Each structure stands twice: as structure tokens, then as C-alpha cells.
Amino acid sequence: MAHGYLSDKRAHLARLKRIEGQVRGLQRMVEEEQYCIDILTQVSAVTKALESVSLALLNEHMNHCVVSAARAGDEEAGAKIDEVMAAITRLVK
Amino acid sequence: MAHGYLSDKRAHLARLKRIEGQVRGLQRMVEEEQYCIDILTQVSAVTKALESVSLALLNEHMNHCVVSAARAGDEEAGAKIDEVMAAITRLVK
Amino acid sequence: MAHGYLSDKRAHLARLKRIEGQVRGLQRMVEEEQYCIDILTQVSAVTKALESVSLALLNEHMNHCVVSAARAGDEEAGAKIDEVMAAITRLVK
Amino acid sequence: MAHGYLSDKRAHLARLKRIEGQVRGLQRMVEEEQYCIDILTQVSAVTKALESVSLALLNEHMNHCVVSAARAGDEEAGAKIDEVMAAITRLVK
């Protein structure tokens, strides 16, 4: 089940831990009924942080899985690119 | 400090609790080195969930703060709209 | 049919004229089979320019229509905010 | 200067022609001072259409340039992926 992106695994986990903390911070802000605009600003920060995680994961996926598939043959390449394009489309929308 | 959006407070907190769980799920997926594309799909789901929280908070802010400011006078209205437009701009980018 | 945002009408039209020119530039780039990444960069520029038009139109709408509706009564305010929230949701997605 | 994506060239040009027409339609809407929300809806439609052009171009770029670079060697692959990741990042933001 290992997919060979161990290199940045620690970095991804650290980012996700920080995002978890930010989401708990959002709960506190809502609990305390802080000002809506301040909460919205913080939600935007979390969204940006998640976007960075996505782009980092995508970068590794391209460098490992897409490159390997391209070298394995046309069919493998085509399938892998269809799959990654679907993921990019979900990211963009 | 209360800003009068208690009506949906429980709903916001429930959503944010669920998002916190999803972020912990993402950590588990990275920890277990699950397939990148599956993790990306899950990150997109969390981003969509945060987007819904933003839109719900924005909706309440418009119905309460922006409406009150509009009724309080032109200056109050102008200031509140500048503020909410900045928040919307952050959401859109 | 006039909706009272004449103030910035010239500015909106100038922006849209420039965007039309950028879209024609994109056609030329594709016609000449220029490098994909350069075309993508230019498409992103057009998208950003359209986003600015949206935010400028939304700003005027908030300052005029939403403020007037808020002053006209709760029902008018609610209807106008539902409508503008639907537009913001389309912008964000 | 040809970059080998002639296959879909006609389709890209047809899409961009239609987008040009939509942008001219937006100018007419502003000129006639049509309702802001209707103009915003139309701007969102143009943005979605441009997004589709981007994703189609990106798809071809992946299938041709990225695959070729992957086969040419690690250095070529790395450079091409850095470049396409920068383009995807601009698309996502």
C-alpha cells in the first residue's frame, strides 16, 4: 500500500496537524460568537492551507506516478493522465 | 462579543466538527501512504465543506450585519459593504 | 431597464473591451500553435480579469440594490440577499 | 513553433470564438444597463467556459509534452513538471 512519497510525508503530516488546529480554532471562534468577518478570514486561511497540501501532493504524484506511467507505455500513461486530470478538475472547481 | 448569529451556531459547529474529523482522516491516509489521488479527492471534499461553511456564515452576515448597517445610514452601509467585499474577494481568489 | 450603476459603466465597458482583445489574442496563440503553457498563462490572466469585473459589479450591486432593499423592509432584504448569495456561490465555485 | 496539438485545434478555436461572442454579449448587457445579477450570471458562465479551455489545453499538454519529457530523462521530466505545476497553481488560485 506504500506509494513512495515518504520523502515529504513528515511535511504533509505537519501541515495537516496545523490545519486540524486551525479548524479547532474556528470552532472556538463560532462558540464564542466572534465577528463573522474574522471567522471568514480564518476559513479562507484554512482553505489556502488545504490548497497548498493539494498542490504538494499533486507535485509528488506527477514526479513519481505520472513519470513512471509515461515510461511504462502509452496505455499506462493515458490512464494515469486521465486520472490526474480528473483530480485537477476537482481542485479547480 | 456576541454577534447574534446564534440561530445557526449549532449547525456551524457540527459542520466544523465533521471537518476536523475529515482532516484527521487525511492525516491517517498520509500516515498509511494511501494512493495520492484518493487523498487529493478527500482534500477536495474538505475544501468544499469549508466553502459551505463560508457561504453559510456570509449569508448570516448579510442578513444581520449588512442589513442593519444599511438601515443605520450611508456611512455605516458603505463601511460594512467594503468589509464584506474584502471577505468575498478572499473567498473567490 | 436602467439599474443605476452608470457611475462605473465606462470602466466596466473598458475592461470588457480589453478582455475581448485578450480572447482574440488567445485565438491567435492557438492558431499559431504557441506553447501550451504560455496559452494557459494567458487564459489565467483573462480569468483574473473577469473575476475583477465580477467583483466590481457585485460591489455596485451591494451598494445600490442590496442597501435599497434593506431599507425597503425585511421581505425585500431577504429576497435580495438570497439572490446575491446565489450569485456569490456561482462566483466561488 | 508548432507544438503538436493540432488534433483539437479546431475545437479550441471554436470554444474561444464562442467565448469572444459571450464577452461581446457582456458589453451589450452593461451598455444597456441590464440587471447586475443577470450580468454576474453571464460572467460566471464565461469563466466556466475559460476553465474548460484551460483543462482541455492542460490535458493535451500532459499527454504530449509531459509524457515526452518523462521519457527523455529525469532532468527533462523534472523541469516539465515544475513548469506544469506552476500553471496548475495559477489555475487553482
Side-chain angles (χ1 to χ4, degrees):
Chain A
M1 183 155 302
H3 286 278
Y5 56 86
L6 250 168
S7 52
D8 282 344
K9 192 171 162 178
R10 288 302 122 196
H12 295 316
L13 283 173
R15 276 174 163 177
L16 288 169
K17 265 285 167 212
R18 202 160 45 237
I19 290 169
E20 186 192 335
Q22 289 176 303
V23 174
R24 266 202 300 269
L26 281 170
Q27 291 166 23
R28 212 161 29 240
M29 291 178 92
V30 170
E31 190 63 74
E32 295 171 358
E33 299 190 31
Q34 288 186 28
Y35 187 46
C36 258
I37 295 290
D38 294 336
I39 306 181
L40 280 170
T41 301
Q42 190 56 20
V43 178
S44 292
V46 182
T47 305
K48 291 291 164 228
L50 277 170
E51 207 170 85
S52 297
V53 170
S54 290
L55 291 168
L57 287 167
L58 186 61
N59 187 45
E60 290 189 67
H61 181 71
M62 298 278 278
N63 276 295
H64 299 119
C65 302
V66 175
V67 167
S68 303
R71 290 173 183 169
D74 285 347
E75 212 174 314
E76 290 85 344
K80 222 55 172 178
I81 287 170
D82 285 352
E83 188 187 62
V84 81
M85 283 304 304
I88 293 167
T89 301
R90 280 191 297 272
L91 263 181
V92 169
K93 306 259 170 187
Chain B
M1 182 156 300
H3 285 278
Y5 56 88
L6 251 168
S7 51
D8 282 343
K9 191 172 162 178
R10 288 301 121 197
H12 296 315
L13 282 173
R15 277 174 164 177
L16 288 168
K17 265 286 167 209
R18 201 159 46 234
I19 289 169
E20 186 193 334
Q22 289 176 302
V23 174
R24 265 202 300 270
L26 281 169
Q27 292 166 24
R28 209 163 30 242
M29 292 178 93
V30 170
E31 191 62 75
E32 296 171 358
E33 300 189 32
Q34 287 186 28
Y35 186 46
C36 258
I37 295 290
D38 294 336
I39 306 181
L40 281 170
T41 301
Q42 191 55 20
V43 178
S44 292
V46 182
T47 305
K48 290 292 162 226
L50 277 170
E51 207 171 85
S52 296
V53 171
S54 290
L55 290 168
L57 287 168
L58 187 60
N59 187 44
E60 290 189 67
H61 182 70
M62 299 279 278
N63 276 296
H64 299 119
C65 302
V66 174
V67 167
S68 302
R71 290 172 183 170
D74 285 347
E75 212 174 313
E76 289 85 344
K80 222 55 172 177
I81 287 170
D82 285 353
E83 189 186 62
V84 81
M85 283 305 304
I88 293 167
T89 301
R90 281 190 297 272
L91 263 182
V92 169
K93 306 259 169 190
Chain C
M1 183 156 304
H3 285 279
Y5 56 86
L6 249 168
S7 52
D8 281 344
K9 191 171 163 178
R10 289 300 123 197
H12 294 316
L13 282 173
R15 276 174 163 178
L16 288 168
K17 265 285 167 211
R18 202 160 45 236
I19 289 169
E20 186 193 334
Q22 289 176 303
V23 174
R24 266 202 300 268
L26 281 170
Q27 291 167 23
R28 211 162 29 241
M29 291 179 93
V30 169
E31 190 63 74
E32 296 170 357
E33 299 190 32
Q34 288 187 27
Y35 187 46
C36 258
I37 296 289
D38 295 336
I39 306 182
L40 280 171
T41 301
Q42 190 55 20
V43 178
S44 292
V46 182
T47 305
K48 291 291 164 227
L50 277 170
E51 206 170 86
S52 296
V53 170
S54 290
L55 291 168
L57 287 168
L58 186 61
N59 187 45
E60 290 189 69
H61 182 71
M62 299 278 277
N63 276 296
H64 298 120
C65 300
V66 175
V67 166
S68 302
R71 289 171 184 171
D74 285 347
E75 212 174 313
E76 289 85 345
K80 222 54 171 179
I81 287 171
D82 286 352
E83 187 187 62
V84 81
M85 283 304 304
I88 293 167
T89 301
R90 280 191 298 272
L91 263 181
V92 169
K93 305 260 171 190
Chain D
M1 182 153 303
H3 285 278
Y5 55 86
L6 252 168
S7 53
D8 281 345
K9 193 171 162 177
R10 288 302 120 196
H12 295 315
L13 282 172
R15 275 176 164 176
L16 288 168
K17 265 286 166 211
R18 201 159 47 235
I19 290 169
E20 186 192 335
Q22 288 176 303
V23 174
R24 265 202 300 270
L26 281 170
Q27 291 167 23
R28 209 162 32 241
M29 291 179 93
V30 170
E31 190 62 74
E32 296 171 358
E33 299 189 34
Q34 287 187 28
Y35 187 46
C36 258
I37 294 290
D38 294 337
I39 305 181
L40 281 170
T41 300
Q42 190 55 20
V43 178
S44 291
V46 182
T47 305
K48 290 291 163 226
L50 278 169
E51 207 170 84
S52 295
V53 171
S54 290
L55 290 169
L57 287 167
L58 187 61
N59 187 45
E60 290 190 66
H61 181 72
M62 298 279 278
N63 275 295
H64 299 119
C65 301
V66 175
V67 167
S68 302
R71 290 172 183 170
D74 285 347
E75 212 174 313
E76 289 85 344
K80 222 54 171 180
I81 287 170
D82 285 353
E83 190 186 61
V84 80
M85 283 305 304
I88 293 167
T89 302
R90 281 190 298 273
L91 263 181
V92 169
K93 306 257 168 189

Short mmCIF file of all heavy atoms in Angstrom, two decimals, chain B residues 24-55:
data_model
loop_
_atom_site.label_atom_id
_atom_site.label_comp_id
_atom_site.label_asym_id
_atom_site.label_seq_id
_atom_site.Cartn_x
_atom_site.Cartn_y
_atom_site.Cartn_z
N ARG B 24 -8.46 14.82 10.27
CA ARG B 24 -7.76 13.72 10.94
C ARG B 24 -7.71 12.49 10.03
O ARG B 24 -6.72 11.77 9.99
CB ARG B 24 -8.43 13.39 12.28
CG ARG B 24 -7.73 14.12 13.45
CD ARG B 24 -8.00 13.45 14.78
NE ARG B 24 -9.42 13.44 15.03
CZ ARG B 24 -10.09 14.40 15.68
NH1 ARG B 24 -9.43 15.42 16.20
NH2 ARG B 24 -11.38 14.33 15.86
N GLY B 25 -8.78 12.27 9.29
CA GLY B 25 -8.80 11.18 8.30
C GLY B 25 -7.70 11.36 7.26
O GLY B 25 -7.05 10.39 6.85
N LEU B 26 -7.48 12.60 6.84
CA LEU B 26 -6.41 12.88 5.87
C LEU B 26 -5.04 12.53 6.45
O LEU B 26 -4.18 11.98 5.76
CB LEU B 26 -6.43 14.36 5.48
CG LEU B 26 -7.48 14.77 4.46
CD1 LEU B 26 -7.56 16.29 4.36
CD2 LEU B 26 -7.14 14.17 3.10
N GLN B 27 -4.85 12.85 7.74
CA GLN B 27 -3.57 12.50 8.38
C GLN B 27 -3.35 10.99 8.34
O GLN B 27 -2.25 10.52 8.06
CB GLN B 27 -3.55 13.00 9.82
CG GLN B 27 -3.52 14.52 9.94
CD GLN B 27 -3.83 15.01 11.34
OE1 GLN B 27 -3.65 14.31 12.33
NE2 GLN B 27 -4.32 16.24 11.43
N ARG B 28 -4.42 10.25 8.63
CA ARG B 28 -4.33 8.80 8.62
C ARG B 28 -3.98 8.31 7.21
O ARG B 28 -3.14 7.43 7.05
CB ARG B 28 -5.68 8.21 9.08
CG ARG B 28 -5.55 6.87 9.77
CD ARG B 28 -6.84 6.54 10.57
NE ARG B 28 -8.02 7.13 9.97
CZ ARG B 28 -8.82 8.04 10.58
NH1 ARG B 28 -8.59 8.41 11.83
NH2 ARG B 28 -9.87 8.53 9.96
N MET B 29 -4.61 8.88 6.20
CA MET B 29 -4.33 8.47 4.82
C MET B 29 -2.86 8.71 4.45
O MET B 29 -2.23 7.88 3.79
CB MET B 29 -5.24 9.24 3.84
CG MET B 29 -6.72 8.86 3.94
SD MET B 29 -7.76 9.86 2.80
CE MET B 29 -7.79 8.78 1.34
N VAL B 30 -2.33 9.87 4.86
CA VAL B 30 -0.92 10.17 4.57
C VAL B 30 -0.03 9.23 5.37
O VAL B 30 0.94 8.67 4.85
CB VAL B 30 -0.59 11.65 4.88
CG1 VAL B 30 0.92 11.91 4.82
CG2 VAL B 30 -1.32 12.58 3.91
N GLU B 31 -0.36 9.05 6.65
CA GLU B 31 0.41 8.15 7.52
C GLU B 31 0.52 6.76 6.90
O GLU B 31 1.60 6.16 6.88
CB GLU B 31 -0.31 8.08 8.88
CG GLU B 31 0.45 7.41 10.00
CD GLU B 31 1.75 8.14 10.34
OE1 GLU B 31 1.70 9.20 10.98
OE2 GLU B 31 2.81 7.62 9.95
N GLU B 32 -0.59 6.27 6.38
CA GLU B 32 -0.62 4.92 5.78
C GLU B 32 -0.16 4.93 4.32
O GLU B 32 -0.25 3.91 3.64
CB GLU B 32 -2.06 4.37 5.83
CG GLU B 32 -2.59 4.15 7.24
CD GLU B 32 -4.08 3.82 7.25
OE1 GLU B 32 -4.70 3.78 6.15
OE2 GLU B 32 -4.62 3.59 8.35
N GLU B 33 0.27 6.10 3.85
CA GLU B 33 0.71 6.25 2.45
C GLU B 33 -0.30 5.71 1.45
O GLU B 33 0.05 5.01 0.51
CB GLU B 33 2.08 5.59 2.24
CG GLU B 33 3.13 6.22 3.14
CD GLU B 33 4.54 5.76 2.83
OE1 GLU B 33 4.83 5.46 1.66
OE2 GLU B 33 5.35 5.72 3.77
N GLN B 34 -1.54 6.09 1.66
CA GLN B 34 -2.57 5.70 0.69
C GLN B 34 -2.33 6.40 -0.65
O GLN B 34 -1.53 7.33 -0.75
CB GLN B 34 -3.96 6.01 1.24
CG GLN B 34 -4.35 5.04 2.36
CD GLN B 34 -5.77 5.21 2.84
OE1 GLN B 34 -6.64 5.64 2.08
NE2 GLN B 34 -6.02 4.89 4.09
N TYR B 35 -3.06 5.98 -1.65
CA TYR B 35 -2.83 6.47 -3.01
C TYR B 35 -3.13 7.98 -3.10
O TYR B 35 -4.18 8.46 -2.69
CB TYR B 35 -3.70 5.68 -3.99
CG TYR B 35 -3.45 5.99 -5.43
CD1 TYR B 35 -2.14 6.07 -5.94
CD2 TYR B 35 -4.50 6.21 -6.31
CE1 TYR B 35 -1.91 6.35 -7.26
CE2 TYR B 35 -4.27 6.49 -7.64
CZ TYR B 35 -2.97 6.57 -8.11
OH TYR B 35 -2.74 6.86 -9.43
N CYS B 36 -2.16 8.71 -3.63
CA CYS B 36 -2.21 10.18 -3.76
C CYS B 36 -3.55 10.72 -4.27
O CYS B 36 -4.08 11.68 -3.76
CB CYS B 36 -1.18 10.64 -4.79
SG CYS B 36 0.28 11.30 -4.03
N ILE B 37 -4.04 10.08 -5.31
CA ILE B 37 -5.28 10.57 -5.95
C ILE B 37 -6.45 10.44 -4.97
O ILE B 37 -7.30 11.34 -4.90
CB ILE B 37 -5.55 9.78 -7.25
CG1 ILE B 37 -4.45 10.07 -8.29
CG2 ILE B 37 -6.93 10.08 -7.81
CD1 ILE B 37 -4.46 11.47 -8.88
N ASP B 38 -6.45 9.38 -4.17
CA ASP B 38 -7.52 9.21 -3.17
C ASP B 38 -7.41 10.30 -2.09
O ASP B 38 -8.42 10.82 -1.62
CB ASP B 38 -7.43 7.82 -2.52
CG ASP B 38 -7.72 6.71 -3.53
OD1 ASP B 38 -8.40 6.99 -4.54
OD2 ASP B 38 -7.26 5.58 -3.32
N ILE B 39 -6.18 10.62 -1.72
CA ILE B 39 -6.00 11.70 -0.73
C ILE B 39 -6.45 13.03 -1.33
O ILE B 39 -7.18 13.80 -0.69
CB ILE B 39 -4.53 11.77 -0.26
CG1 ILE B 39 -4.05 10.39 0.26
CG2 ILE B 39 -4.38 12.83 0.83
CD1 ILE B 39 -2.62 10.39 0.76
N LEU B 40 -6.07 13.29 -2.58
CA LEU B 40 -6.48 14.53 -3.24
C LEU B 40 -8.00 14.65 -3.31
O LEU B 40 -8.56 15.73 -3.12
CB LEU B 40 -5.90 14.60 -4.66
CG LEU B 40 -4.43 15.02 -4.74
CD1 LEU B 40 -3.90 14.81 -6.16
CD2 LEU B 40 -4.26 16.48 -4.34
N THR B 41 -8.68 13.54 -3.61
CA THR B 41 -10.15 13.55 -3.66
C THR B 41 -10.71 13.97 -2.31
O THR B 41 -11.63 14.78 -2.22
CB THR B 41 -10.68 12.14 -4.02
OG1 THR B 41 -10.12 11.78 -5.29
CG2 THR B 41 -12.19 12.11 -4.09
N GLN B 42 -10.11 13.44 -1.25
CA GLN B 42 -10.57 13.74 0.10
C GLN B 42 -10.26 15.20 0.47
O GLN B 42 -11.08 15.86 1.12
CB GLN B 42 -9.94 12.74 1.07
CG GLN B 42 -10.51 12.76 2.46
CD GLN B 42 -12.02 12.56 2.52
OE1 GLN B 42 -12.63 12.05 1.58
NE2 GLN B 42 -12.63 13.01 3.61
N VAL B 43 -9.11 15.71 0.06
CA VAL B 43 -8.79 17.13 0.32
C VAL B 43 -9.82 18.02 -0.39
O VAL B 43 -10.31 19.00 0.20
CB VAL B 43 -7.36 17.52 -0.14
CG1 VAL B 43 -7.11 19.00 0.11
CG2 VAL B 43 -6.30 16.70 0.57
N SER B 44 -10.19 17.67 -1.61
CA SER B 44 -11.20 18.46 -2.32
C SER B 44 -12.54 18.45 -1.58
O SER B 44 -13.23 19.46 -1.53
CB SER B 44 -11.40 17.94 -3.75
OG SER B 44 -10.25 18.17 -4.53
N ALA B 45 -12.88 17.31 -0.98
CA ALA B 45 -14.12 17.22 -0.22
C ALA B 45 -14.08 18.16 1.00
O ALA B 45 -15.07 18.85 1.30
CB ALA B 45 -14.37 15.78 0.22
N VAL B 46 -12.93 18.21 1.67
CA VAL B 46 -12.81 19.10 2.83
C VAL B 46 -12.89 20.56 2.40
O VAL B 46 -13.56 21.39 3.04
CB VAL B 46 -11.49 18.84 3.60
CG1 VAL B 46 -11.40 19.73 4.83
CG2 VAL B 46 -11.39 17.37 4.02
N THR B 47 -12.24 20.88 1.28
CA THR B 47 -12.30 22.25 0.76
C THR B 47 -13.73 22.66 0.45
O THR B 47 -14.17 23.77 0.79
CB THR B 47 -11.41 22.37 -0.50
OG1 THR B 47 -10.10 21.92 -0.17
CG2 THR B 47 -11.33 23.80 -0.98
N LYS B 48 -14.49 21.76 -0.18
CA LYS B 48 -15.91 22.05 -0.47
C LYS B 48 -16.69 22.26 0.83
O LYS B 48 -17.54 23.14 0.90
CB LYS B 48 -16.55 20.88 -1.24
CG LYS B 48 -16.09 20.69 -2.67
CD LYS B 48 -16.53 21.83 -3.57
CE LYS B 48 -15.73 21.89 -4.88
NZ LYS B 48 -15.26 23.20 -5.25
N ALA B 49 -16.41 21.45 1.84
CA ALA B 49 -17.12 21.57 3.11
C ALA B 49 -16.82 22.93 3.76
O ALA B 49 -17.71 23.59 4.30
CB ALA B 49 -16.75 20.42 4.04
N LEU B 50 -15.56 23.37 3.68
CA LEU B 50 -15.20 24.69 4.23
C LEU B 50 -15.88 25.81 3.44
O LEU B 50 -16.29 26.82 4.01
CB LEU B 50 -13.68 24.88 4.17
CG LEU B 50 -12.89 24.26 5.31
CD1 LEU B 50 -11.40 24.31 4.98
CD2 LEU B 50 -13.15 24.99 6.63
N GLU B 51 -15.98 25.62 2.15
CA GLU B 51 -16.65 26.60 1.30
C GLU B 51 -18.11 26.75 1.73
O GLU B 51 -18.63 27.87 1.79
CB GLU B 51 -16.58 26.06 -0.13
CG GLU B 51 -16.62 27.11 -1.21
CD GLU B 51 -16.31 26.44 -2.53
OE1 GLU B 51 -17.24 25.90 -3.17
OE2 GLU B 51 -15.13 26.43 -2.94
N SER B 52 -18.75 25.64 2.05
CA SER B 52 -20.14 25.71 2.51
C SER B 52 -20.25 26.46 3.84
O SER B 52 -21.20 27.21 4.05
CB SER B 52 -20.71 24.30 2.69
OG SER B 52 -20.76 23.66 1.46
N VAL B 53 -19.28 26.23 4.72
CA VAL B 53 -19.28 26.98 5.99
C VAL B 53 -19.16 28.47 5.71
O VAL B 53 -19.90 29.29 6.26
CB VAL B 53 -18.12 26.51 6.91
CG1 VAL B 53 -17.97 27.42 8.12
CG2 VAL B 53 -18.35 25.07 7.37
N SER B 54 -18.24 28.84 4.82
CA SER B 54 -18.06 30.26 4.46
C SER B 54 -19.35 30.87 3.93
O SER B 54 -19.73 31.97 4.33
CB SER B 54 -17.02 30.41 3.35
OG SER B 54 -15.74 30.12 3.82
N LEU B 55 -19.99 30.16 3.02
CA LEU B 55 -21.19 30.72 2.39
C LEU B 55 -22.32 30.84 3.41
O LEU B 55 -23.08 31.82 3.39
CB LEU B 55 -21.60 29.87 1.19
CG LEU B 55 -20.64 29.98 -0.01
CD1 LEU B 55 -20.94 28.92 -1.06
CD2 LEU B 55 -20.70 31.37 -0.66
#
